[in-house]
Amino acid sequence: MPTLKPAPTTQPLADNIQQRWSPRAFDPARAISEDSLTALMEAAHWAPSCMNEQPWRYLLADKHRHPDSWQRLLGCLVEKNQLWAQQAPLLILAASVTHFNNSDKTNPWAAYDTGASAQNLALQATALGLVTHSMGGFDKTKLQQQFALPADIIPWAVIAVGYQASADSLNDEFRQKELAERQRSALASRFYLGSWPG
C-alpha cells in the first residue's frame, strides 16, 4: 500500500503540490505508458525560461523500452541511491546547456530555469498518479563518459519516476525515512515580508 503524505500546510494548496513528495519505494513491474511519458515531457517543456531559451535537456531511460540506457544511468548513481532506485522503471537525467542559443555568452539562469522545468515534470507526475525522487548523488564524470555528454551540458539531477510501492519493499533504513513525518522550516524563517531580517 503506497504511503500518502500530504504536506501539512496552513492553507490548502493545489492537489498535485500538496500531494507531491519524494518516496523511495517504486513498483518495478508497472511500466509508464507512452502517453504519460509524453505528458511528463510536455509539462517540463512548457516551464518558463529566460528569453524563452529552454536550456533544459533531458535523457529518459525507460527500463522497459531502453534497458541498456536505464542500466547505464543507474550505474552512474552513488551506491546508496542504486539500492532503491533500481526499482524505478524510469530514470531521467536533468541537465542544461550552459550558453545562450544564439551566442557564446554564458546563460546564468540555465540552472534556475531547468529547476523550474524539473518541478513542472514532478507536479505533472503527481497529477498522473506517479511519484518522483530527484537525486544529486551521481558520478558526473561517469555520466559524461557513459552518455558522451557535450562539454556545454551540465547534469544537475537524476530523477526516479514510477508508481509508488509499499514502504515494506524497502530496507529498514529507507523504510524509516519513507514513513517519517514530513517537515519544513517555519514560513517566517524563509520568507521575509517587506524587508530582509537584520
Side-chain angles (χ1 to χ4, degrees), residues 51 53 97-107 152:
M51 297 189 294
E53 280 286 311
V97 179
T98 59
H99 292 80
F100 287 110
N101 291 323
N102 296 315
S103 75
D104 289 331
K105 293 182 179 178
T106 299
N107 180 352
D152 66 342

Side-chain angles (χ1 to χ4, degrees), residues 133-166:
H133 190 122
S134 293
M135 296 167 276
F138 58 85
D139 185 324
K140 182 178 177 180
T141 300
K142 189 172 183 180
L143 194 61
Q144 290 169 325
Q145 293 170 345
Q146 284 290 323
F147 294 98
L149 299 182
D152 66 342
I153 293 289
I154 298 178
W156 297 111
V158 176
I159 308 167
V161 185
Y163 290 94
Q164 191 179 3
S166 168

